Amino acid sequence: MIPRRALLALPLASAAHAAAPRLVCVGGAVTETVFALGAGAQVVAVDSTSRFPVPVQRLPQIGYLRSLAPEGLISLDPDLLLLSDEAGPPQALAVLRAAGAPLSMVPDGAGGAAVVRKIEAVARALGRDGAALAATVAEDWRALDAPVAALRPVRAIFVLSASRGAPLVSGRDTHADALLRAVGAENCVGDFRGYRPLSAEAAAALAPEAVVMMDHALAEAGGIDAVLRITALAVTPAAAARRLVALEGGYMLGFGPRAAHARRDLAALLHPGARLPVLAERDWV
């Protein structure tokens, strides 16, 4: 039997012959991909953004992906730390590298091509063949391209949070912006990067037809009625039509193996009655 610490010096594919490697996953899409590739039984801990599939909710959590504590990660004695490249802070990653922790960084990103890159990166780190999973997810994503392109674009805003005064909305270069464009919506606030509070004056001028939110953010804000009564939203066509849609955050914004199905679900919510292809059921969804 090779001692566990000796395994850290071996390539993962070789270590797997001696014992099932202990994996720690950081990033919801990373965790979902590990499970979709059939390595879920090897995961011993996850970060707080990893909520799917259901078995991960019973695993120990190591905190938020951008606020990692290196000592806690090292204490788990992992054979591989699979981290989204959104993970941090940088000081924590530096400590992990200095300690010789076996890190593998997975590129984050939004859109169909980014999903494929994540699957390929996780598969390489695990020493598994991810070609079939990547090809299937890419095929599902492409099946929606033409039908979505034929839809009339809906003027929309993505509200990240609305429980503390002015709603915080997503500008360009965000996962939310990429999501809106992928489902046949025009992001009304694409004139800035990142996230900013939305004033009533700006909202009235932008006149969004729809509001998109994560379901937990909607609940925290008090539900649909409470959100649409917020001054900055009450003046919009979206409020007049009560057009607010919500889905689970990791499902919408993770851009992992479930991305194509999330794209279809949100497109259907924003475009009632639209003719969209029914995607095949997948084990990882």
Side-chain angles (χ1 to χ4, degrees):
M1 177 67 71
I2 302 175
R4 175 168 301 285
R5 281 300 166 195
L7 291 178
L8 300 185
L10 296 174
L12 184 59
S14 298
H17 293 293
R22 292 166 54 83
L23 308 177
V24 174
C25 299
V26 177
V30 172
T31 302
E32 289 187 29
T33 304
V34 169
F35 276 79
L37 288 169
Q42 298 166 14
V43 179
V44 297
V46 296
D47 76 307
S48 61
T49 70
S50 299
R51 302 296 298 164
F52 186 88
V54 173
V56 306
Q57 298 175 21
R58 298 189 291 268
L59 292 173
Q61 284 198 359
I62 48 85
Y64 180 53
L65 87 164
R66 290 190 174 92
S67 304
L68 299 177
E71 297 82 4
L73 289 169
I74 293 170
S75 71
L76 291 168
D77 198 23
D79 295 304
L80 181 63
L81 282 164
L82 270 171
L83 279 69
S84 164
D85 66 6
E86 293 284 287
Q91 300 92 322
L93 300 183
V95 170
L96 289 170
R97 291 189 176 99
L103 300 183
S104 183
M105 306 302 293
V106 178
D108 189 52
V115 177
V116 170
R117 287 193 294 271
K118 292 177 194 180
I119 293 171
E120 291 173 344
V122 172
R124 282 194 302 271
L126 296 177
R128 293 186 175 231
D129 184 358
L133 176 62
T136 301
V137 174
E139 178 184 356
D140 287 343
W141 185 274
R142 284 194 301 270
L144 294 165
D145 285 346
V148 168
L151 299 171
R152 181 189 75 81
V154 175
R155 290 178 55 78
I157 54 173
F158 189 97
V159 175
L160 184 68
S161 65
S163 58
R164 299 177 181 176
L168 191 64
V169 296
S170 302
R172 66 180 186 274
D173 296 337
T174 61
H175 282 39
D177 177 66
L179 173 70
L180 291 177
R181 289 186 280 106
V183 299
E186 175 191 349
N187 185 4
C188 291
V189 290
D191 59 338
F192 62 82
R193 294 180 177 178
Y195 297 87
R196 290 185 186 177
L198 181 69
S199 68
E201 293 77 12
L206 294 169
E209 301 170 283
V211 175
V212 180
M213 296 183 71
M214 295 181 286
D215 57 0
H216 78 270
L218 178 60
E220 290 170 359
I224 292 178
D225 290 336
V227 169
L228 295 180
R229 282 197 302 267
I230 294 172
T231 304
L233 298 179
V235 297
T236 66
R242 290 182 55 79
R243 197 173 180 185
L244 187 156
V245 300
L247 287 173
E248 191 269 320
Y251 182 49
M252 279 198 299
L253 300 177
F255 287 96
R258 298 184 293 164
H261 289 71
R263 181 189 188 190
R264 190 207 180 277
D265 286 350
L266 185 56
L269 288 172
L270 285 175
H271 305 273
R275 292 187 176 182
L276 298 170
V278 177
L279 300 182
E281 293 185 7
R282 304 298 184 190
D283 292 341
W284 53 88
V285 180

